[in-house]
Amino acid sequence: MLNYSVDAEGIATVEFDYPGKSQNILNAGSMGAYAEAMQKALADPAVKGIVLASAKKDFIAGGDLGEMAGCTDAAAFHASISNWHKLMRGIELGGKPVAAALNGTTLGGGMEVALSCHYRVAADNPKARFGFPEVTLGLLPGAGGTQRVPRLVGMQAAAPLLMEGKRIKVAEAQKIGLIHAVVKVGAERTAARQWVLEAIASGAKPLQPWDAKGFKIPGGGPATPGGMQMLMAANAMLREKTYDNYPAPKHILSCVYEGLSTNIDTGLAIEARYFTNLVMSPVSKNMIRSLFFGMQEANKLASRPAGVPPQKYTKVGMLGAGMMGAGIAMSTATAGIDIVLLDTTQEAADKGKAYAAKQWGKQVAKGRMTQEAADALLARIHPTADYADLKGCELVIEAVFEKREIKADVTKKAEAVIAAEAIFASNTSTLPITGLAEASARPANFIGLHFFSPAEKMPLVEIIVGKATSDATLARSMDYVRAIGKTPIVVNDSRGFYTSRVFGTYVSEGMALLEEGVPPALIDKAGLMAGMPVGPLALADEVSIELVHKIGQQTRADLGAAYVERAADRVAAKMVAELGRLGRKSGAGFYDYPADGPKRLWPGLAGHFPAVADVPSVEQIIERLILVQSVETARCLEEKVLRAPIDADVGAILGWGYPPFRGGPIGWLHTLGMPAAVATLDRLAERHGSRFAAPRILREMAAKEERFYPA
Ligand code: NAD
C-alpha cells in the first residue's frame, strides 16, 4: 500500500503504491495505511518533515467508487469520514512541514490529500489533470475539498472545480493557487524535499493559510457583497440548469456557504454531513452504477464473445456521404483509420469530405487543433464514386437513404469487391437487420451499427445482431466501435431496435398529452423538469413530425390487424397531412421558427388541441413521460431485444440524454423498487391504457422481491 522511509536528515517519505493496480486509489485499506504512516511520522522525534509521493505514473486517481456505491450504513460512513478529517487536521497542525510531490494526475480524494499538506509541487507533466470529478457522479469532494479549495483559491475560482468537476492542467492549477510550484518532470520529489528542509531551517511552525492569524478568504467570504452576489448567481444558475434533480451541486454550494461562514473545523463537520447524505442518496448510486461501472464495462467490451482474436482496422468503407456518412467518416479518420467515402457521384462524395473539412476548420479556428493535424485527418478520407476503391476494406458501413432496395443494391455492389471475411454493416435507424441481410451473400458477416446524430460527436453505437450474424462479426464490430473511441451496447434485432423504440415512447407520450388537452408549454416544461434534455414536442419537431408519421404508417402497414393505434399517430397525421406542419426542417411544427428570433410554440395549437379544464399536475406528467420509457425498456428485456439491464441504462444516457440521476430507464425502476413500480404502472395502465401495462418480467420480480441490480 505505502512505502515508508526516513533519510539521514530526518525527512520521511510516504509513498503511495497501491498493490495490483496501475493507479493509486483511496479506500478503507489505503487510507488506513496512510493514517498509520502519517501518525508514525508525526510521533517520531527523529522525523523532522514529511514528503508525500507516488510510486505510480500519476499521484492519486481518487476515492474507491465501489466502496461508496456499496455503502449502506450512514452512521459508519459519517464516522469514518470524520476520522479522515481528524487525520488531515492532525497533519496540518502537527508542527512538521509536509509537502506533496505531484508527479501526475491528482483527482478527487487524491487532491484532498495533497491539499492537507503545507506545500504542493507538481511535475510539468502535460498529461496531468487536477480537479474534483465527484460532482459528475452525484458526490462532493468530502475529504475537505469544499472547505480547503475556496479558502485557498477563492469562491469564484473554486466554483467550476467543485460544482462542474472541471479538470485543469498544471499551469492553470498553479495560476489559481491550487499548487505552489511546477518543476521539470522527475524533479518534484527533490523540490518537495528542498521546501521541507527550508521550512525546518526557518524554525517557524508550518501552518495552512486558514490556520494563520488574520486569515481572509481570497476575494471575500460569503458575507461580503462580492461573495453574496456570486452565491446568489450560482444558486440561480444551478436551479435553471438542473431543476433541483441533482443534489450534489446544491450540497456543494451549501458546504461553501455554510462552511465558509465559520471556521475550518466546523466547516469540515458540515461537509461530512452533506457528504454522507449524498453517498447514501439513490442519485449517486445510480450515477456511479451507470456512468462509471456500466460505462467501464461497456468500454472494456465485457460482453464481447470470447475466443475471437482482436481485429485491427486500417481501411474502412463508408457508403453514403450524407449527414451520417460524413460524421462516421470523421470519427473513423480521427482514430487513424483510412476511410473510403463513397456516394453516387464524385461531387456528392466530395460534399461529405467538405463537411469534415468545415468541422475541423472550426476546431482550428478555436485553437483546439492545428491546421497540420486537420490536414492529416482529411488526408485519410478518400471520396469516390467507384466501388473498386473499397478493395482491402476490413469493414464497410452503409448510410445511404432509408430504402430497402437501395440498401440491397449497395450491399451487393460492395460485397463484390471486399474480401470474403470483411464485415458489412448497416446504419439503418428503422429497418430490421435480418431482413436487410437477405441482400447479402454472407449474412453471418452482416450486422447493424446504429450511430447517433451528429455521428462525429455522439458517444454511443447501438450494435444490432441479426438472426444470421456470427459471434465473430459481433466481436470484430465491437473492436471497431472501441477503436473509434465510442461506447457500444449490443441488442438483438427488432423493430426500432432498443434506442429508437424507447426514445420514441417519450415523444409519443408528449403527443398523447397534447391530444388529451394538456397545454403544450406545460408538456415540454415537464419534460425538462423530468431531466430530459429537450421537451417531447420540441423533440418531435427536431426529429420531424413527418418521420413520426411515416414510422407510424410503416408499422401499421407491417403489423396489419395487430396494430394498436396510438394518440401520437392521430396527432402526427393531423399535423402533417392536415396542417402541413412537418417539424423544424419545414420551419413549422409544434413550434414556429422565426428567422429573426428564438422558436416559440405555435399559437394555433390551442385551436386544434383545446385545453381541458382539469389539467394534470406537473408531477403526474413527469411520471408518465418517465415511466413510459421504463416500461418499454422492461419489454425489451423481456423480449430479449436487450441482453442486459446495464446496456439499457448506458444506452439511454448516451443515446438520447436520459437523465443520469435516475440511473437509466431500468435504474429508475430499481430506484422506485419493483413492487412500487408495478403498483404505479397498474394505476397508469388503468387510466391511460395498455402502453403502461407492467410486463410479466416486472410482476415476477416484484412478487419474488427481486431487483435488477444489487440493493
Ligand atoms: P442523408 O440523406 O443525409 O444521406 C444519405 C446519402 O446517401 C446521400 O449523400 C445520398 O446521396 C447517398 N446515397 C443515396 N443512395 C446511394 C447509393 N445508391 N449509393 C451511394 N450513396 C447513396 O441521410 P442520413 O441522415 O445521413 O441517413 C443515412 C442513413 O442513416 C439512413 O439509413 C438513416 O435511417 C440512418 N440514420 C440516420 C440518423 C439521423 O439522425 N439522420 C441516425 C441514425 C441512422
Side-chain angles (χ1 to χ4, degrees), residues 322-324 343-344 399-402 406-407 427 429 451 453:
M323 192 165 92
M324 295 305 287
D343 210 296
T344 44
V400 298
F401 295 141
E402 189 77 342
I406 301 181
K407 291 198 188 286
N427 177 49
S429 30
F451 287 78
S453 176

Side-chain angles (χ1 to χ4, degrees), residues 324-337:
M324 295 305 287
I328 299 169
M330 284 177 75
S331 294
T332 307
T334 304
I337 301 169

Side-chain angles (χ1 to χ4, degrees), residues 501-547:
R501 177 170 162 181
V502 174
F503 161 81
T505 63
Y506 170 67
V507 173
S508 301
E509 198 58 25
M511 289 162 81
L513 284 156
L514 182 69
E515 191 186 54
E516 286 167 34
V518 178
L522 179 59
I523 298 170
D524 271 5
K525 192 69 177 174
L528 296 175
M529 288 172 75
M532 297 291 292
V534 185
L537 300 178
L539 203 52
D541 270 9
E542 292 296 328
V543 301
S544 104
I545 309 176
E546 190 190 23
L547 184 66

